[in-house]
Short mmCIF file of all heavy atoms in Angstrom, two decimals:
data_model
loop_
_atom_site.label_atom_id
_atom_site.label_comp_id
_atom_site.label_asym_id
_atom_site.label_seq_id
_atom_site.Cartn_x
_atom_site.Cartn_y
_atom_site.Cartn_z
N ALA D 674 -17.15 2.60 -2.30
CA ALA D 674 -16.96 1.45 -3.18
C ALA D 674 -18.27 0.70 -3.42
O ALA D 674 -18.53 0.21 -4.51
CB ALA D 674 -15.90 0.51 -2.61
N GLU D 675 -19.10 0.61 -2.39
CA GLU D 675 -20.36 -0.12 -2.49
C GLU D 675 -21.55 0.78 -2.76
O GLU D 675 -22.65 0.30 -3.01
CB GLU D 675 -20.62 -0.91 -1.20
CG GLU D 675 -19.58 -1.96 -0.90
CD GLU D 675 -19.60 -3.10 -1.91
OE1 GLU D 675 -20.68 -3.46 -2.40
OE2 GLU D 675 -18.51 -3.62 -2.21
N GLY D 676 -21.35 2.11 -2.67
CA GLY D 676 -22.46 3.04 -2.85
C GLY D 676 -23.44 3.00 -1.71
O GLY D 676 -24.62 3.31 -1.86
N GLU D 677 -22.97 2.65 -0.53
CA GLU D 677 -23.83 2.49 0.64
C GLU D 677 -23.78 3.74 1.53
O GLU D 677 -22.71 4.26 1.82
CB GLU D 677 -23.36 1.27 1.45
CG GLU D 677 -24.17 1.00 2.69
CD GLU D 677 -23.63 -0.19 3.47
OE1 GLU D 677 -22.58 -0.76 3.12
OE2 GLU D 677 -24.29 -0.54 4.47
N VAL D 678 -24.95 4.20 1.95
CA VAL D 678 -25.07 5.33 2.86
C VAL D 678 -26.00 4.92 4.00
O VAL D 678 -27.11 4.46 3.74
CB VAL D 678 -25.65 6.58 2.15
CG1 VAL D 678 -25.81 7.73 3.14
CG2 VAL D 678 -24.81 6.98 0.96
N VAL D 679 -25.54 5.08 5.24
CA VAL D 679 -26.35 4.74 6.40
C VAL D 679 -26.35 5.95 7.33
O VAL D 679 -25.29 6.46 7.70
CB VAL D 679 -25.80 3.50 7.14
CG1 VAL D 679 -26.67 3.17 8.35
CG2 VAL D 679 -25.69 2.31 6.20
N ILE D 680 -27.53 6.40 7.71
CA ILE D 680 -27.66 7.51 8.65
C ILE D 680 -27.73 6.93 10.06
O ILE D 680 -28.48 5.99 10.32
CB ILE D 680 -28.93 8.35 8.35
CG1 ILE D 680 -28.96 8.78 6.88
CG2 ILE D 680 -29.02 9.54 9.30
CD1 ILE D 680 -27.76 9.58 6.42
N ASN D 681 -26.94 7.50 10.96
CA ASN D 681 -26.86 7.06 12.36
C ASN D 681 -26.67 5.54 12.44
O ASN D 681 -27.54 4.81 12.94
CB ASN D 681 -28.09 7.53 13.15
CG ASN D 681 -28.16 9.04 13.20
OD1 ASN D 681 -27.15 9.71 13.44
ND2 ASN D 681 -29.33 9.60 12.97
N PRO D 682 -25.54 5.06 11.94
CA PRO D 682 -25.30 3.61 11.87
C PRO D 682 -25.16 2.97 13.26
O PRO D 682 -24.77 3.62 14.22
CB PRO D 682 -23.97 3.52 11.12
CG PRO D 682 -23.29 4.81 11.40
CD PRO D 682 -24.38 5.83 11.49
N THR D 683 -25.48 1.69 13.30
CA THR D 683 -25.27 0.90 14.51
C THR D 683 -23.77 0.58 14.61
O THR D 683 -23.05 0.63 13.61
CB THR D 683 -26.05 -0.42 14.46
OG1 THR D 683 -25.50 -1.23 13.41
CG2 THR D 683 -27.54 -0.18 14.24
N PRO D 684 -23.30 0.20 15.79
CA PRO D 684 -21.89 -0.20 15.91
C PRO D 684 -21.53 -1.35 14.97
O PRO D 684 -20.43 -1.39 14.41
CB PRO D 684 -21.75 -0.61 17.38
CG PRO D 684 -22.81 0.19 18.09
CD PRO D 684 -23.95 0.27 17.10
N GLY D 685 -22.45 -2.27 14.76
CA GLY D 685 -22.20 -3.39 13.85
C GLY D 685 -22.03 -2.94 12.41
O GLY D 685 -21.16 -3.43 11.69
N GLN D 686 -22.90 -2.03 11.97
CA GLN D 686 -22.78 -1.50 10.61
C GLN D 686 -21.45 -0.77 10.43
O GLN D 686 -20.78 -0.92 9.42
CB GLN D 686 -23.94 -0.55 10.30
CG GLN D 686 -25.28 -1.23 10.16
CD GLN D 686 -26.42 -0.24 10.09
OE1 GLN D 686 -26.50 0.70 10.89
NE2 GLN D 686 -27.33 -0.46 9.15
N GLU D 687 -21.09 0.00 11.44
CA GLU D 687 -19.84 0.74 11.37
C GLU D 687 -18.64 -0.20 11.32
O GLU D 687 -17.71 -0.01 10.54
CB GLU D 687 -19.74 1.68 12.58
CG GLU D 687 -18.70 2.74 12.39
CD GLU D 687 -18.81 3.85 13.42
OE1 GLU D 687 -19.93 4.15 13.90
OE2 GLU D 687 -17.75 4.41 13.74
N ALA D 688 -18.65 -1.23 12.13
CA ALA D 688 -17.56 -2.21 12.15
C ALA D 688 -17.44 -2.91 10.81
O ALA D 688 -16.32 -3.15 10.31
CB ALA D 688 -17.77 -3.22 13.27
N ASN D 689 -18.58 -3.25 10.19
CA ASN D 689 -18.59 -3.91 8.90
C ASN D 689 -17.93 -3.04 7.83
O ASN D 689 -17.08 -3.50 7.07
CB ASN D 689 -20.03 -4.26 8.52
CG ASN D 689 -20.12 -5.05 7.24
OD1 ASN D 689 -19.13 -5.47 6.66
ND2 ASN D 689 -21.35 -5.27 6.78
N VAL D 690 -18.30 -1.76 7.79
CA VAL D 690 -17.72 -0.86 6.78
C VAL D 690 -16.24 -0.62 7.06
O VAL D 690 -15.42 -0.57 6.16
CB VAL D 690 -18.52 0.45 6.69
CG1 VAL D 690 -17.79 1.50 5.86
CG2 VAL D 690 -19.90 0.18 6.08
N ARG D 691 -15.87 -0.49 8.33
CA ARG D 691 -14.45 -0.31 8.67
C ARG D 691 -13.62 -1.52 8.23
O ARG D 691 -12.50 -1.37 7.73
CB ARG D 691 -14.27 -0.04 10.15
CG ARG D 691 -14.71 1.34 10.57
CD ARG D 691 -14.34 1.63 12.03
NE ARG D 691 -14.95 2.85 12.49
CZ ARG D 691 -14.50 4.08 12.24
NH1 ARG D 691 -13.42 4.22 11.50
NH2 ARG D 691 -15.12 5.13 12.71
N ALA D 692 -14.16 -2.72 8.40
CA ALA D 692 -13.45 -3.93 7.97
C ALA D 692 -13.29 -3.95 6.45
O ALA D 692 -12.21 -4.28 5.94
CB ALA D 692 -14.20 -5.18 8.45
N ARG D 693 -14.36 -3.58 5.72
CA ARG D 693 -14.26 -3.51 4.25
C ARG D 693 -13.23 -2.48 3.83
O ARG D 693 -12.47 -2.70 2.89
CB ARG D 693 -15.62 -3.21 3.64
CG ARG D 693 -16.59 -4.38 3.73
CD ARG D 693 -17.81 -4.24 2.85
NE ARG D 693 -18.45 -2.96 2.83
CZ ARG D 693 -19.71 -2.72 3.21
NH1 ARG D 693 -20.45 -3.71 3.66
NH2 ARG D 693 -20.23 -1.52 3.14
N ALA D 694 -13.20 -1.32 4.53
CA ALA D 694 -12.23 -0.27 4.21
C ALA D 694 -10.80 -0.76 4.44
O ALA D 694 -9.90 -0.48 3.64
CB ALA D 694 -12.51 0.98 5.02
N ALA D 695 -10.59 -1.50 5.51
CA ALA D 695 -9.25 -2.04 5.79
C ALA D 695 -8.83 -3.03 4.71
O ALA D 695 -7.68 -3.01 4.25
CB ALA D 695 -9.22 -2.69 7.17
N ASN D 696 -9.75 -3.90 4.28
CA ASN D 696 -9.46 -4.85 3.21
C ASN D 696 -9.14 -4.12 1.92
O ASN D 696 -8.23 -4.50 1.18
CB ASN D 696 -10.64 -5.81 2.99
CG ASN D 696 -10.79 -6.78 4.14
OD1 ASN D 696 -9.86 -7.03 4.89
ND2 ASN D 696 -11.98 -7.32 4.29
N TRP D 697 -9.91 -3.06 1.62
CA TRP D 697 -9.68 -2.27 0.41
C TRP D 697 -8.30 -1.63 0.47
O TRP D 697 -7.56 -1.64 -0.51
CB TRP D 697 -10.77 -1.21 0.27
CG TRP D 697 -10.59 -0.36 -0.94
CD1 TRP D 697 -11.03 -0.63 -2.21
CD2 TRP D 697 -9.90 0.90 -1.02
NE1 TRP D 697 -10.67 0.39 -3.06
CE2 TRP D 697 -9.97 1.34 -2.35
CE3 TRP D 697 -9.25 1.69 -0.09
CZ2 TRP D 697 -9.40 2.52 -2.78
CZ3 TRP D 697 -8.67 2.87 -0.51
CH2 TRP D 697 -8.75 3.27 -1.84
N ALA D 698 -7.92 -1.07 1.62
CA ALA D 698 -6.62 -0.41 1.76
C ALA D 698 -5.48 -1.41 1.57
O ALA D 698 -4.48 -1.10 0.92
CB ALA D 698 -6.52 0.27 3.13
N GLU D 699 -5.63 -2.61 2.11
CA GLU D 699 -4.61 -3.65 1.93
C GLU D 699 -4.49 -4.03 0.46
O GLU D 699 -3.38 -4.17 -0.07
CB GLU D 699 -4.95 -4.88 2.76
CG GLU D 699 -4.76 -4.70 4.24
CD GLU D 699 -5.26 -5.89 5.05
OE1 GLU D 699 -5.44 -6.99 4.47
OE2 GLU D 699 -5.46 -5.72 6.26
N ALA D 700 -5.62 -4.21 -0.21
CA ALA D 700 -5.59 -4.56 -1.64
C ALA D 700 -4.96 -3.44 -2.46
O ALA D 700 -4.18 -3.70 -3.39
CB ALA D 700 -7.01 -4.85 -2.14
N ARG D 701 -5.25 -2.20 -2.11
CA ARG D 701 -4.68 -1.05 -2.83
C ARG D 701 -3.17 -1.01 -2.64
O ARG D 701 -2.42 -0.77 -3.58
CB ARG D 701 -5.32 0.24 -2.34
CG ARG D 701 -4.88 1.44 -3.12
CD ARG D 701 -5.75 2.65 -2.76
NE ARG D 701 -5.43 3.75 -3.63
CZ ARG D 701 -4.49 4.65 -3.39
NH1 ARG D 701 -3.77 4.56 -2.29
NH2 ARG D 701 -4.26 5.64 -4.22
N THR D 702 -2.71 -1.27 -1.43
CA THR D 702 -1.27 -1.29 -1.16
C THR D 702 -0.59 -2.38 -1.99
O THR D 702 0.47 -2.15 -2.57
CB THR D 702 -1.01 -1.52 0.35
OG1 THR D 702 -1.62 -0.44 1.07
CG2 THR D 702 0.46 -1.57 0.67
N ARG D 703 -1.21 -3.56 -2.08
CA ARG D 703 -0.66 -4.63 -2.91
C ARG D 703 -0.63 -4.24 -4.38
O ARG D 703 0.35 -4.47 -5.08
CB ARG D 703 -1.49 -5.91 -2.73
CG ARG D 703 -1.18 -6.70 -1.49
CD ARG D 703 -1.80 -8.10 -1.53
NE ARG D 703 -3.23 -8.08 -1.87
CZ ARG D 703 -4.22 -7.94 -0.97
NH1 ARG D 703 -3.94 -7.83 0.30
NH2 ARG D 703 -5.47 -7.95 -1.36
N ASP D 704 -1.73 -3.61 -4.85
CA ASP D 704 -1.78 -3.20 -6.25
C ASP D 704 -0.69 -2.19 -6.58
O ASP D 704 -0.06 -2.27 -7.64
CB ASP D 704 -3.15 -2.60 -6.59
CG ASP D 704 -4.26 -3.63 -6.62
OD1 ASP D 704 -3.95 -4.85 -6.65
OD2 ASP D 704 -5.44 -3.23 -6.62
N ILE D 705 -0.46 -1.24 -5.68
CA ILE D 705 0.59 -0.24 -5.91
C ILE D 705 1.95 -0.92 -5.94
O ILE D 705 2.78 -0.63 -6.81
CB ILE D 705 0.53 0.87 -4.84
CG1 ILE D 705 -0.72 1.73 -5.07
CG2 ILE D 705 1.79 1.72 -4.86
CD1 ILE D 705 -1.03 2.71 -3.95
N ALA D 706 2.19 -1.84 -5.02
CA ALA D 706 3.47 -2.55 -4.99
C ALA D 706 3.68 -3.37 -6.26
O ALA D 706 4.81 -3.48 -6.76
CB ALA D 706 3.53 -3.47 -3.77
N ASP D 707 2.60 -3.91 -6.82
CA ASP D 707 2.69 -4.72 -8.04
C ASP D 707 2.79 -3.88 -9.31
O ASP D 707 2.97 -4.42 -10.39
CB ASP D 707 1.47 -5.64 -8.16
CG ASP D 707 1.48 -6.73 -7.10
OD1 ASP D 707 2.55 -6.97 -6.49
OD2 ASP D 707 0.41 -7.33 -6.88
N SER D 708 2.65 -2.54 -9.18
CA SER D 708 2.59 -1.71 -10.38
C SER D 708 3.94 -1.14 -10.79
O SER D 708 4.02 -0.23 -11.58
CB SER D 708 1.59 -0.57 -10.18
OG SER D 708 2.09 0.35 -9.21
N LYS D 709 5.02 -1.66 -10.26
CA LYS D 709 6.36 -1.19 -10.60
C LYS D 709 6.77 -1.71 -11.98
O LYS D 709 6.37 -2.78 -12.40
CB LYS D 709 7.39 -1.66 -9.56
CG LYS D 709 7.05 -1.27 -8.15
CD LYS D 709 7.25 0.20 -7.92
CE LYS D 709 7.07 0.55 -6.47
NZ LYS D 709 6.05 1.49 -6.20
N GLY D 710 7.57 -0.92 -12.66
CA GLY D 710 8.09 -1.34 -13.95
C GLY D 710 7.15 -1.00 -15.09
O GLY D 710 6.10 -0.38 -14.89
N PRO D 711 7.53 -1.38 -16.29
CA PRO D 711 6.71 -1.02 -17.46
C PRO D 711 5.37 -1.75 -17.47
O PRO D 711 5.26 -2.87 -16.99
CB PRO D 711 7.58 -1.45 -18.65
CG PRO D 711 8.56 -2.43 -18.10
CD PRO D 711 8.73 -2.12 -16.64
N ALA D 712 4.38 -1.09 -18.03
CA ALA D 712 3.05 -1.69 -18.16
C ALA D 712 3.03 -2.50 -19.45
O ALA D 712 3.24 -1.95 -20.54
CB ALA D 712 1.98 -0.61 -18.19
N VAL D 713 2.79 -3.78 -19.32
CA VAL D 713 2.78 -4.68 -20.48
C VAL D 713 1.60 -5.63 -20.34
O VAL D 713 1.37 -6.20 -19.27
CB VAL D 713 4.11 -5.49 -20.55
CG1 VAL D 713 4.12 -6.42 -21.75
CG2 VAL D 713 5.32 -4.58 -20.56
N THR D 714 0.87 -5.80 -21.44
CA THR D 714 -0.26 -6.74 -21.42
C THR D 714 0.27 -8.17 -21.41
O THR D 714 1.46 -8.41 -21.67
CB THR D 714 -1.17 -6.54 -22.64
OG1 THR D 714 -0.42 -6.81 -23.82
CG2 THR D 714 -1.73 -5.12 -22.68
N LYS D 715 -0.59 -9.13 -21.14
CA LYS D 715 -0.17 -10.53 -21.10
C LYS D 715 0.42 -11.01 -22.42
O LYS D 715 1.26 -11.90 -22.45
CB LYS D 715 -1.36 -11.43 -20.71
CG LYS D 715 -1.72 -11.31 -19.25
CD LYS D 715 -2.84 -12.26 -18.88
CE LYS D 715 -3.16 -12.12 -17.41
NZ LYS D 715 -4.22 -13.01 -16.97
N ASP D 716 -0.05 -10.39 -23.53
CA ASP D 716 0.49 -10.81 -24.83
C ASP D 716 1.70 -9.96 -25.26
O ASP D 716 2.13 -10.02 -26.40
CB ASP D 716 -0.60 -10.79 -25.90
CG ASP D 716 -1.20 -9.41 -26.12
OD1 ASP D 716 -0.82 -8.47 -25.39
OD2 ASP D 716 -2.03 -9.29 -27.03
N GLY D 717 2.27 -9.18 -24.33
CA GLY D 717 3.52 -8.47 -24.59
C GLY D 717 3.41 -7.07 -25.15
O GLY D 717 4.42 -6.46 -25.50
N LEU D 718 2.22 -6.53 -25.25
CA LEU D 718 2.05 -5.18 -25.80
C LEU D 718 2.34 -4.14 -24.71
O LEU D 718 1.73 -4.16 -23.65
CB LEU D 718 0.61 -5.01 -26.32
CG LEU D 718 0.25 -3.65 -26.88
CD1 LEU D 718 1.02 -3.39 -28.18
CD2 LEU D 718 -1.24 -3.57 -27.14
N ALA D 719 3.30 -3.24 -25.00
CA ALA D 719 3.63 -2.17 -24.04
C ALA D 719 2.53 -1.12 -24.06
O ALA D 719 2.02 -0.74 -25.12
CB ALA D 719 4.97 -1.54 -24.40
N VAL D 720 2.16 -0.63 -22.88
CA VAL D 720 1.11 0.37 -22.74
C VAL D 720 1.70 1.56 -21.98
O VAL D 720 2.31 1.39 -20.92
CB VAL D 720 -0.10 -0.20 -21.94
CG1 VAL D 720 -1.17 0.86 -21.75
CG2 VAL D 720 -0.66 -1.43 -22.62
#
């Protein structure tokens, strides 16, 4: 997601990326849950 590559990361760098991955997974789960039903724009156009 960030385009970041670290060779032989420190424990802190690894923990930081793991935390970002967990946040991303939670957001993705919410997005999937919110994607039920027909796709409609705010102005009512069906997509």
Side-chain angles (χ1 to χ4, degrees):
E675 298 293 325
E677 180 182 5
V678 178
V679 180
I680 307 302
N681 297 316
T683 66
Q686 290 170 313
E687 196 167 330
N689 185 6
V690 169
R691 286 188 190 280
R693 288 194 316 241
N696 290 339
W697 179 86
E699 288 173 18
R701 185 169 187 271
T702 300
R703 280 193 310 273
D704 289 346
I705 289 170
D707 291 343
S708 69
K709 304 288 187 239
V713 181
T714 63
K715 287 183 179 181
D716 61 356
L718 178 68
V720 178

